[in-house]
Amino acid sequence: MTPAEPADFPAYTLIRPLLAAEAAAEALPGGIEAADLEQAVWLRLLELGGPPPEPDRWVRRAVRAEVRGHVRRIRSERPYEECGDPEGAGPPTAGSEVEELVLAAERHRAVRAAVGRLPGRCPQVVTALMSRSDPTYREISRELGISQGSIGPLRSRCLGCLRTILNSRVGSPVGRGNAR
């Protein structure tokens, strides 16, 4: 045995066929290949610092964890070509992202200003409904001092008024059946 060779070298040689079999069984067609799985698990094994106490169980868990991680990454990634605009003009530019942020901020300010012009208790109700904490009707009723059963109808009337204010400001017609 050379000084560079770990004392547990036989344990690693016993893991090799088990790892190859597990990786081949869990490889995804069109996704992660068995060789890539093996390499990722060998890396995990080296990071472990020594052979695991139950190699067969550890290898199965490690291979399945790598597959799950790969599937999660694949679901969240999109090819570069799909990252552009719907017309296929290419990837978004820094200017278009900034423009979208500015337009979203303007829409948000317009809605907030319209909420302030609502009649009665509507500004309080709509502000509570728009809260980032996403309160329940029970929490809103306690906060505003109104019955929980009246929040739904009040919300409906307030949103109808808000829709009317926003549509009159923009000048677009109100769709049939949307406003009361």
Side-chain angles (χ1 to χ4, degrees):
M1 182 182 318
T2 64
E5 192 175 296
D8 299 322
F9 188 71
Y12 289 114
T13 57
L14 295 174
I15 290 175
R16 182 175 307 204
L18 178 62
L19 176 55
E22 285 292 328
E26 295 289 332
L28 299 171
I32 191 164
E33 296 178 8
D36 293 336
L37 272 174
E38 283 186 61
Q39 186 177 18
V41 173
W42 276 116
L43 183 61
R44 276 185 176 214
L45 188 60
L46 291 174
E47 289 171 346
L48 195 61
E54 297 177 12
D56 52 342
R57 176 183 255 172
W58 185 90
V59 166
R60 275 190 219 104
R61 284 187 192 153
V63 168
R64 290 185 182 130
E66 286 297 325
V67 169
R68 282 192 307 271
H70 179 76
V71 168
R72 262 193 312 272
R73 282 188 300 277
I74 291 296
R75 285 183 184 155
S76 66
E77 293 174 353
R78 293 186 302 169
Y80 181 72
E81 297 84 34
E82 293 178 15
C83 293
D85 63 352
E87 285 80 40
T93 61
S96 67
E97 290 175 16
V98 170
E99 184 177 342
E100 289 298 319
L101 288 172
V102 169
L103 291 174
E106 284 180 22
R107 285 190 297 267
H108 187 73
R109 277 192 296 273
V111 170
R112 287 287 180 187
V115 167
R117 293 193 308 267
L118 288 171
R121 301 193 95 172
C122 287
Q124 299 160 333
V125 171
V126 173
T127 300
L129 290 168
M130 291 173 57
S131 171
R132 288 184 186 257
S133 64
D134 196 25
T136 63
Y137 276 12
R138 178 177 288 160
E139 293 167 341
I140 293 172
S141 71
R142 266 189 262 135
E143 181 182 326
L144 300 179
I146 54 179
S147 71
Q148 186 175 342
S150 65
I151 293 176
L154 183 58
R155 170 190 159 271
S156 180
R157 285 192 302 274
C158 294
L159 291 178
C161 290
L162 181 62
R163 188 178 300 113
T164 302
I165 290 172
L166 289 172
N167 285 333
S168 66
R169 181 170 185 253
V170 174
S172 62
V174 176
R176 276 191 258 175
N178 287 341
R180 292 184 182 176

